[in-house]
Amino acid sequence: SWQKVLGGEGAHGILILSPRAIERLESYSPSWPMPKVFRLTKGGKLIKGIFQGATINTPSMIAVEDYLDALKWADQMGGVEGLIKTSEANLNIVRQWVEETPWASFLAKEPATISPTSICLSIDGLEGDQLKTMTKLLEEQNVAVDIGSYRDAPAGLRIWGGATVENSDMKKLMPWLTWAYNEAKSA
């Protein structure tokens, strides 16, 4: 996924089937229509080309061109080393702000497990819906969108710190976090 700086969970994967699974695929035909990407049999037989590198679903050429642009951008950023450097600098900006902010801390307690890309923060001192107010204020000001922690995660903030975020923008975010916290706390 290009949004994840040339890596992520999308687009490519691996499928491993046991002999029993193949037998089941070849002996069962669902009564509902199956999307092409999920069809592993044709005429009651496994489509072996899928497991030998055949294309299941042709990617859009605009998507391929977009990926080529992303690769050129990554090269201009200094390749993998440059992308990592940008992401680590973003984490250091947040780290400095956390050190200066008594109500913010990293969700990960072990420094080695703090991600420089998906930076998760715990926010103390806000009650009930105040954290939602904080994230809503940031969105209303066009500062940050979808910055709240995931539904099943502890309450807090989730900041994308990957190389697609310029260090200057990460620096601009920090005072906004303080502002939104103070506004939510006083509401």
Side-chain angles (χ1 to χ4, degrees):
S1 143
W2 346 156
Q3 90 182 51
K4 297 281 190 317
V5 193
L6 310 178
E9 69 285 348
H12 303 284
I14 185 169
L15 181 63
I16 301 171
L17 297 173
S18 69
R20 185 170 173 220
I22 293 170
E23 184 180 301
R24 173 83 171 135
L25 282 168
E26 291 179 338
S27 66
Y28 176 75
S29 180
S31 59
W32 56 87
M34 293 287 289
K36 182 180 178 183
V37 73
F38 295 124
R39 292 183 209 153
L40 300 177
T41 60
K42 185 173 185 175
K45 292 291 178 193
L46 186 69
I47 303 171
K48 293 186 178 175
I50 292 171
F51 301 95
Q52 298 168 344
T55 300
I56 298 172
N57 200 2
T58 307
S60 157
M61 292 314 293
I62 191 77
V64 172
E65 189 62 31
D66 191 35
Y67 202 77
L68 291 173
D69 283 345
L71 288 171
K72 289 176 191 171
W73 167 81
D75 193 42
Q76 292 169 353
M77 293 288 290
V80 172
E81 295 82 11
L83 299 174
I84 291 169
K85 183 179 176 183
T86 299
S87 184
E88 287 177 346
N90 280 331
L91 175 60
N92 286 332
I93 292 163
V94 176
R95 182 176 281 125
Q96 179 181 351
W97 178 81
V98 165
E99 289 171 1
E100 298 167 355
T101 308
W103 44 265
S105 60
F106 288 101
L107 180 61
K109 299 305 175 203
E110 290 293 322
T113 62
I114 296 172
S115 170
T117 54
S118 181
I119 305 168
C120 297
L121 301 177
S122 295
I123 304 297
D124 297 327
L126 296 182
E127 313 242 344
D129 286 338
Q130 288 178 317
L131 186 58
K132 288 180 184 177
T133 299
M134 180 181 177
T135 60
K136 185 179 175 191
L137 288 167
L138 292 166
E139 190 164 339
E140 287 172 352
Q141 296 296 317
N142 292 317
V143 172
V145 177
D146 195 26
I147 195 171
S149 59
Y150 287 118
R151 178 182 57 215
D152 295 334
L157 300 177
R158 178 174 54 94
I159 302 169
W160 178 248
T164 53
V165 176
E166 294 180 14
N167 298 152
S168 60
D169 288 336
M170 188 63 79
K171 287 177 185 173
K172 291 174 189 173
L173 174 63
M174 299 302 103
W176 279 104
L177 295 179
T178 302
W179 171 82
Y181 176 88
N182 290 332
E183 289 291 312
K185 183 100 173 135
S186 65

